[in-house]
Amino acid sequence: MKSTPDLCDEFAEGLNVLEPLFTNFGGRAHFFGEVVTVKCFEDNSKVKELAGQPGQGRIMVVDGGGSLRRALLGDMIAANALANGWAGFVIYGCIRDVDEIGAMDLGVQALATHPMKTEKRGIGDVNVPVTIAGHTIHPGDWMVCDNNGIVVSPVPLDS
């Protein structure tokens, strides 16, 4: 897959480029796939549930409301997602266990790190449109992430 700058040069009119808010924490710096969305606030129950299902090379986009008070992803959920074939995560919120996640062949971009886990209350919505970093992302969109940024397209991008 091409880098995000190359994709922007080639498909500028058909792409949305997310605002540069995210840091790459995963062991896989360049990742891409179809989007599955989760909308949750300081409760990663739905993230954990989805990570246990077949990922089929998809990216889980988690709208955590930008909260910097709880981590929506840790090493155990990340390892489960990797084992189940997820390409990665884009989290509008925090993660923890960054050293362990950084050693995994998994894409992870998030706003920041925070050591506090969430309470599991089973609250959240899956496969709903989410608006993060200046753009609305729909389930089934396609995303490419690398150290240059994150681009989103309603159709698959040719490599």
Side-chain angles (χ1 to χ4, degrees):
M1 175 56 65
K2 295 177 183 175
S3 70
T4 57
D6 288 343
L7 290 169
C8 287
D9 291 349
E10 189 173 342
F11 302 105
E13 295 302 314
L15 296 179
N16 289 318
V17 179
L18 298 190
E19 294 171 354
L21 306 174
F22 299 90
T23 299
N24 192 350
F25 293 103
R28 185 186 303 174
H30 186 247
F31 59 105
F32 59 94
E34 187 177 4
V35 169
V36 174
T37 62
V38 178
K39 186 174 181 76
C40 57
F41 186 75
E42 297 183 1
D43 178 349
N44 67 351
S45 300
K46 298 297 181 182
V47 175
K48 181 178 180 180
E49 180 181 314
L50 277 176
Q53 298 174 9
Q56 301 169 322
R58 295 175 296 175
I59 296 174
M60 194 182 309
V61 176
V62 181
D63 177 1
S67 173
L68 301 177
R69 300 185 305 193
R70 302 280 177 154
L72 295 172
L73 179 70
D75 61 340
M76 294 189 318
I77 294 174
N80 198 20
L82 180 60
N84 283 304
W86 289 87
F89 293 86
V90 172
I91 298 181
Y92 189 60
C94 293
I95 70 164
R96 66 189 208 159
D97 303 316
V98 293
D99 296 330
E100 294 83 352
I101 289 173
M104 295 179 195
D105 185 24
L106 183 69
V108 178
Q109 293 213 14
L111 296 181
T113 63
H114 197 287
M116 184 67 72
K117 68 180 181 178
T118 70
E119 293 183 26
K120 306 285 189 293
R121 299 180 311 256
I123 298 172
D125 297 305
V126 175
N127 279 332
V128 296
V130 297
T131 302
I132 61 172
H135 293 282
T136 299
I137 301 168
H138 300 272
D141 281 350
W142 291 82
M143 181 174 277
V144 179
C145 309
D146 63 20
N147 287 328
N148 296 292
I150 300 172
V151 298
V152 181
S153 170
V155 297
L157 301 168
D158 295 331
S159 54

